[in-house]
Amino acid sequence: MCRIVFLLAVISILCPSAEALDNGLALKPSMGWLHWERFLCNTNCDTDPNNCISESLYMQMADVMVEEGWKEAGYEYVCIDDCWPSTQRDAQGRLQADPKRFPGGIKKLADYIHAKGLKLGIYGDVGKTTCAGYPGSLGYYETDAQTFADWGVDLLKFDGCFMNWTLLGEGYMNMSKALNQTGKSILYSCEWPLYEWAFHKPNYTAIRETCNHWRNFDDVYDSWTSVKSILNWTTFYQDIIVPSAGPGGWNDPDMLVIGNFGLSHDQQETQMALWAIMAAPLLMSNDLRNICPRSKMLLQNSRIIEISQDPLGKQGYCTAKMDSFEVWERPLSKNRLAVAVLNKQEIGGARGFAVRLIPGWKICNPQCNVTQILPQYKEMGVQTQRSSIVLSVNPTGTALLTVTPISSYYKKLYKLYWKPMSIKQNTIL
Ligand code: GLA
């Protein structure tokens, strides 16, 4: 009996409270590229052919993703946002792509993307029209789900504009069922809670059972004010939203805007580090054809991506706020911890933060191994709870660490089996 109770307790600690949408997708936070923040609703292909929403934009991004190491780094979804369809459905009531901007149609685009070993995402809306005024799916959930499946689409971002909020949940659930009924696995990215928060607290159990990720808060803009507001919202509501995240379903703080115009490099590091700590989908919205090498290196930093994709699948929390610093911690597999220390003071220069003030630093009793990942990679070696390391963090920048405990048990084993003989051998050699 005791054993069963113990097992249940362990399971409830390890697993998020609700069941995830059971489509086998998003077992780790999704990674890819999404057009919205950078390319918006630019339909002007006559005067701006390079940047308008057209099939060639996604084909070019897919080409670059393969050629420039993005795919290898883990980014796999190439996602279309709003403004892709024709303003009219076809004679059978199906959505169709704008014929001028997508002459090959979406199926052909999906084939192109798949041939590159990547996946295609598309956009729709639960209501009457999309936010930019294109046809919405209200009254057409089955038809549209089937159309997307027939085209070979792998992800659907489903927006919540122009919908009576009391019907939002029902609409999102019906589309989830319709996608499931197509028999094709389509990752389902929702904005359900964002549109519901204005009226009441959303039901995150139902959301997790329905969607693979869900937007909670405003659209990201290419600015520090915007990134900061998303972080502030998340810390304020973390007790409600963090427990709902886990393999199969994730909180979505919106796109990465790294590599654009509005964030300093320190702020870009903050976005990358905190999105990894939040176990957020890593959907970049930038121009991969023309991105500065430093931003590219940051987005492809395998140590940060490893934190984002950690198999334990737990979202991190903000665990301390003091003197304009914020400490965020994410538990990782093998009892490790990722720690981000953000300097929120927007005046002056770099400031020092003593690592022993990190709440999770207790895992360094008796000892731990520390690696600094941002702002520079640095092995900090074996530390104890009393270590006097001080991190230097620039204004609006973040220091990112991983901490690996060295338990006394391992220490004992280490002492037992590690013989000075090996040193001797080295000395002889
Ligand atoms: C909403 C969404 C954005 C984007 C636009 C498109 O604002 O939140 O992410 O999809 O609509 O119109």
Side-chain angles (χ1 to χ4, degrees), residues 78-116:
V78 181
C79 302
I80 306 173
D81 207 287
D82 207 345
C83 308
W84 64 269
S86 156
T87 51
Q88 300 298 324
R89 289 178 175 266
D90 72 8
Q92 283 76 44
R94 287 176 305 207
L95 287 170
Q96 48 190 347
D98 181 283
K100 214 173 142 203
R101 295 181 284 117
F102 294 82
I106 303 292
K107 166 106 186 54
K108 231 170 151 201
L109 179 57
D111 292 346
Y112 184 90
I113 303 268
H114 292 154
K116 304 241 153 205

Side-chain angles (χ1 to χ4, degrees), residues 36 81-82 123 131-132 157 159 161 191 194-195 215 219 254-255:
W36 185 255
D81 207 287
D82 207 345
Y123 168 98
C131 301
K157 169 174 172 177
D159 213 333
C161 273
E191 299 204 32
L194 161 59
Y195 289 91
R215 283 271 310 281
D219 293 2
D254 212 1
M255 295 157 269

